[in-house]
Amino acid sequence: QVQLVESGGGLVQAGGSLRLSCEASGLPSSRCVIGWFRQAPGKDREFVAAISRRGSLSDYADSVKGRLTISRDNAKNTVYLQMNALKPEDTAVYYCAAYVGIYATMAGEGRYDIWGQGTQVTVSS
């Protein structure tokens, strides 16, 4: 059974940093494109960032460019989301998601068929 497990969420003050992790089990993460999405209260889930299978390609939502960085360590079956200069509007449940296939720029959530349970990130002002 393929599973994704997120960790690293928490409460941080505005301007602070967090690093989220997404660990895959059940298949080598090197076969998967991995994305991060987030959902704030009362809002639709939105794309945050994605990374190709070998880590050579990545995309970011405009709202997080320059502050968030996605990376991966396939030896550890783990993808990371380094979050710097956090803002209150970054408060959301963050989900990692995966699909097996070729990287597609800014692929929507419908392309992803494996999802984690989410981790809460709260940024206080």
Side-chain angles (χ1 to χ4, degrees):
Q1 184 178 1
V2 179
Q3 285 189 318
L4 299 175
V5 178
E6 303 96 334
S7 61
L11 173 64
V12 63
Q13 289 188 332
S17 298
L18 284 173
R19 188 176 79 158
L20 306 184
S21 298
C22 171
E23 184 173 1
S25 62
L27 88 164
S29 67
S30 58
R31 293 182 58 195
C32 298
V33 173
I34 304 286
W36 285 96
F37 293 79
R38 67 186 182 185
Q39 187 167 23
K43 295 187 177 181
D44 293 335
R45 188 158 56 188
E46 64 176 359
F47 170 81
V48 176
I51 190 166
S52 60
R53 292 174 294 180
R54 296 185 179 182
S56 58
L57 300 172
S58 60
D59 287 297
Y60 297 90
D62 288 343
S63 59
V64 306
K65 282 180 181 177
R67 301 187 300 116
L68 276 57
T69 303
I70 191 170
S71 62
R72 67 190 302 159
D73 184 342
N74 286 339
K76 296 182 178 180
N77 264 8
T78 301
V79 171
Y80 304 98
L81 186 67
Q82 178 66 43
M83 309 169 70
N84 297 329
L86 283 163
K87 304 175 181 180
E89 50 264 43
D90 293 317
T91 295
V93 177
Y94 283 71
Y95 300 88
C96 68
Y99 66 87
V100 176
I102 297 172
Y103 185 78
T105 299
M106 304 297 287
E109 63 176 84
R111 183 64 181 89
Y112 294 82
D113 47 20
I114 307 165
W115 289 82
Q117 82 289 349
T119 186
Q120 176 70 47
V121 171
T122 302
V123 184
S124 63
S125 56

